[in-house]
Amino acid sequence: MPVLAIIGAGPGLGAAVARKFGREGFSVALISRDQSKLDAMAAELTADGVTASGFAADVREPAELEGALARAAAELGPITALQYSPLPSRDYLKPVLDLTPELALEALQFSALGLIHAVRAVLPAMREAGDGSVILINGGTSVKARAGFAGTSVAFPAESAYGEMLHDALEGEGIRVAQLVIPGGIPQLELPNGIDDVADRIWGLHAEAGPFRTMLIPLEDGRE
């Protein structure tokens, strides 16, 4: 059974994506900081017929993140698809004049460096198989900086740059690397089927090779 690892799994988008991939025959590794919340989420998914397990880790702690991914692979099998979508702290949404070097570094650890550690953990198995996907989920500041969202305006572009380079380096190996930009909170986007439409789009990015960046909606239509 192929395996999806969701880094930043939560009851909204993470659960919707888990159900979508579960319907497509995947088992799901749920990764976030709170093991009890992960266990509850895994139980709900299991009740819906999805094979799912939770593995707690803080993306800012490389050893924790790499350990969680290793435990997931040992329990469920080699990771076939990786979704990197941890929700940034509100501290990263401070105005630019309040951004300290320490906070900028933490935002970079959360977004760019966490992704790099995760990819390096799962990529060898994907390359050996000649198949796989890495999906980045980012907000609009990955495309256009906003002075009121200084931390993500620094960190998301770094994450995006790494992802785009991966896309170019791996596209000849059958490994798809893509970014879905969601410019605004999902409930405010007024999608016909809500969060399930986003999950369907993410499935499409996994299933078919394409350009690196996809906008869920035009940037100017976002409501952050």
Side-chain angles (χ1 to χ4, degrees), residues 10-62:
L13 181 59
V17 171
R19 290 188 176 92
K20 173 61 179 178
F21 275 70
R23 290 193 294 271
E24 298 291 345
F26 277 68
S27 57
V28 183
L30 307 167
I31 298 175
S32 67
R33 287 182 291 180
D34 191 319
Q35 186 66 51
S36 62
K37 291 181 180 179
L38 290 173
D39 290 343
M41 184 176 170
E44 290 181 6
L45 290 167
T46 299
D48 289 339
V50 179
T51 300
S53 295
F55 305 90
D58 186 332
V59 299
R60 298 167 299 182
E61 299 293 338

Side-chain angles (χ1 to χ4, degrees), residues 5-10 29-34 38 55-69 71 82-89 92 105-119 121 135 137-138 155-156 159:
I6 302 176
I7 298 178
L30 307 167
I31 298 175
S32 67
R33 287 182 291 180
D34 191 319
L38 290 173
F55 305 90
D58 186 332
V59 299
R60 298 167 299 182
E61 299 293 338
E64 288 187 18
L65 181 56
E66 292 164 3
L69 289 165
R71 294 195 305 275
L82 175 72
Q83 175 177 306
Y84 194 81
S85 54
L87 185 65
S89 165
Y92 307 155
L105 177 59
E106 184 179 320
L108 285 164
Q109 290 171 330
F110 188 86
S111 295
L113 300 184
L115 174 64
I116 294 170
H117 283 291
V119 167
I135 311 298
I137 311 298
N138 293 113
F156 278 174
E159 180 184 340

